[in-house]
Amino acid sequence: MELKYMRRAIELAKKAQGLTRPNPLVGAVIVKNGKIIGEGYHEYFGGAHAEVNAFLDAKEDVTGATMYVTLEPCSHYGKTPPCANLIIEKNIRKVIVGLLDPNPLVSGKGIKLLKNNGIEVVSGVLDVEILKMNEIFLKYIMTKKPFVILKSAMTLDGKIATYTGDSKWITNKKSREFIHTIRNQVMAIMVGINTVLVDDPKLTTRLKNGTGKDPIRIIVDSMARLPLCAQVINPNSNAYTILATTDLANKNKLKVLVEHGVEIIITQSKNNKVDLQQLMEKLGKRGIDSILLEGGSTLNFSALQEGIVDKVYQFIAPKIIGGKNAKSPIGGDGIKQITNAFTLHSISFERFAEDIMIVGYIGKE
């Protein structure tokens, strides 16, 4: 078995990042006599599956060939016919599968169908890498709640702004460009009302080539203080804005916001704040599978405390600004004892010129 072919399938799958949701990223490669004769990937939601595109790309007869596919071939009818049936019809001899379908209703059924028709199947190849590639899809399909990425940027001395509130810019241009690629891949971006009041951000996607899609904007605002002139109420964006608030909010203000195109989600009040767990449930029911949290220090701590954060992108810039009143990335009441600190696992590092990005996951490894 050649791992290079599964790596190629993974490489193909990643080409569709941000385009296939709520479906996973899937790539497929057909190999015969030691060479690739066809390859494809699931290019967009509702489009042909990776296996179908690989067959369409085949340069010669696929009879007796081996197919490498990152995710177990489907065995049920959805927007397209079952890929497992097509593989059988095409007389593929062997199928190398990266990851079993995580949906408990269908997991293993595609492989069983292939085996029952005399096709040799090997599974679990580079599955850890494929799990990571499809972490948003996996979290959502198993919990019906969005995958939440907490992003923050700080100086070497742990500050996100000066004591006057100036924060433009902590990180360099390359770091900021990377975050816009993440905005392009997630379904929503979330900030607290204080961030809107202080910075008045657009929360749009601005890639170098001018392409990319804006994420849905979610403003966590328990009292509906969102100004009607705020840039997040953006009529020029294809994405809409959600105000996440509580029953404490002024009903007349909510009515006016709706008239300005803002959608309202009301949760129960929890310590005079939006109940973030309840908010995740409501957003999940709307089909929102991923959120980039770019909140201020207060919302960041609440998100960690409520256990809604899955992944962390922490940028560190080689700058020192000092100031006892300058805020850090995580505010709130904080943790009383080190043993109760939020810890990251599966850590990785990346540099963007002089900036360093630390990436890790919250929760059990």
Side-chain angles (χ1 to χ4, degrees), residues 164-321:
T164 64
D166 181 35
S167 61
K168 292 183 173 53
W169 295 101
I170 295 291
T171 53
N172 62 35
K173 185 177 179 181
K174 288 186 177 181
S175 296
R176 300 195 300 274
E177 286 175 350
F178 172 78
I179 286 302
H180 279 277
T181 67
I182 301 301
R183 287 186 181 186
N184 187 48
Q185 293 170 16
V186 298
M187 189 171 284
I189 183 170
M190 186 165 79
V191 300
I193 183 59
N194 288 334
T195 296
V196 174
L197 295 176
V198 173
D199 296 334
D200 193 23
K202 293 180 180 178
L203 302 183
T204 53
T205 297
R206 300 181 294 280
L207 300 179
K208 279 197 284 189
N209 58 12
T211 62
K213 61 185 183 311
D214 292 340
I216 298 165
R217 296 172 291 276
I218 304 170
I219 315 302
V220 180
D221 179 9
S222 61
M223 300 296 290
R225 293 185 291 154
L226 179 63
L228 298 178
C229 61
Q231 292 192 99
V232 292
I233 305 176
N234 188 343
N236 298 318
S237 173
N238 290 326
Y240 58 92
T241 300
I242 295 174
L243 182 79
T245 190
T246 68
D247 48 13
L248 301 175
N250 182 287
K251 300 300 183 292
N252 290 330
K253 177 64 177 295
L254 294 181
K255 182 180 179 181
V256 174
L257 287 167
V258 170
E259 291 171 352
H260 280 73
V262 178
E263 297 193 16
I264 308 296
I265 292 180
I266 297 177
T267 76
Q268 294 174 341
S269 174
K270 189 172 184 179
N271 299 321
N272 294 324
K273 297 179 180 179
V274 170
D275 186 325
L276 294 178
Q277 281 286 359
Q278 192 178 112
L279 176 61
M280 293 303 107
E281 292 175 4
K282 289 176 178 287
L283 292 172
K285 288 178 180 178
R286 284 174 170 244
I288 295 176
D289 65 0
S290 51
I291 296 172
L292 178 62
L293 173 59
E294 293 198 44
S297 62
T298 301
L299 180 58
N300 287 347
F301 179 73
S302 295
L304 288 166
Q305 191 176 43
E306 292 298 310
I308 69 167
V309 177
D310 298 288
K311 188 176 185 178
V312 173
Y313 285 140
Q314 180 63 63
F315 289 84
I316 303 174
K319 299 173 182 177
I320 299 173
I321 59 177

Side-chain angles (χ1 to χ4, degrees), residues 34-266:
K35 67 175 183 179
I36 295 176
I37 63 170
E39 58 182 30
Y41 62 100
H42 183 37
E43 298 176 7
Y44 57 90
F45 175 67
H49 286 192
E51 298 93 326
V52 175
N53 284 330
F55 284 127
L56 291 173
D57 182 63
K59 307 299 188 297
E60 59 182 84
D61 184 12
V62 300
T63 298
T66 297
M67 172 173 278
Y68 290 76
V69 59
T70 57
L71 188 69
E72 177 183 1
C74 60
S75 59
H76 61 283
Y77 283 87
K79 286 186 174 292
T80 59
C83 290
N85 289 356
L86 183 60
I87 291 170
I88 294 166
E89 292 171 11
K90 294 289 187 178
N91 295 313
I92 293 293
R93 178 182 62 84
K94 184 176 182 179
V95 177
I96 312 295
V97 176
L99 184 69
L100 291 179
D101 193 317
N103 188 334
L105 297 176
V106 297
S107 182
K109 291 183 179 180
I111 286 178
K112 183 179 180 181
L113 182 58
L114 295 175
K115 287 183 175 179
N116 287 346
N117 282 271
I119 297 175
E120 182 183 352
V121 180
V122 177
S123 61
V125 178
L126 298 182
D127 55 348
V128 173
E129 188 172 340
I130 296 166
L131 275 166
K132 187 175 181 181
M133 177 177 72
N134 279 307
E135 57 196 11
I136 290 173
F137 167 75
L138 293 166
K139 164 78 180 290
Y140 185 72
I141 199 170
M142 299 300 289
T143 68
K144 295 303 178 187
K145 292 181 182 179
F147 186 90
V148 178
I149 302 168
L150 189 158
K151 170 264 172 181
S152 187
M154 67 181 188
T155 60
L156 200 59
D157 56 336
K159 307 297 184 181
I160 60 173
T162 67
Y163 73 91
T164 64
D166 181 35
S167 61
K168 292 183 173 53
W169 295 101
I170 295 291
T171 53
N172 62 35
K173 185 177 179 181
K174 288 186 177 181
S175 296
R176 300 195 300 274
E177 286 175 350
F178 172 78
I179 286 302
H180 279 277
T181 67
I182 301 301
R183 287 186 181 186
N184 187 48
Q185 293 170 16
V186 298
M187 189 171 284
I189 183 170
M190 186 165 79
V191 300
I193 183 59
N194 288 334
T195 296
V196 174
L197 295 176
V198 173
D199 296 334
D200 193 23
K202 293 180 180 178
L203 302 183
T204 53
T205 297
R206 300 181 294 280
L207 300 179
K208 279 197 284 189
N209 58 12
T211 62
K213 61 185 183 311
D214 292 340
I216 298 165
R217 296 172 291 276
I218 304 170
I219 315 302
V220 180
D221 179 9
S222 61
M223 300 296 290
R225 293 185 291 154
L226 179 63
L228 298 178
C229 61
Q231 292 192 99
V232 292
I233 305 176
N234 188 343
N236 298 318
S237 173
N238 290 326
Y240 58 92
T241 300
I242 295 174
L243 182 79
T245 190
T246 68
D247 48 13
L248 301 175
N250 182 287
K251 300 300 183 292
N252 290 330
K253 177 64 177 295
L254 294 181
K255 182 180 179 181
V256 174
L257 287 167
V258 170
E259 291 171 352
H260 280 73
V262 178
E263 297 193 16
I264 308 296
I265 292 180
I266 297 177

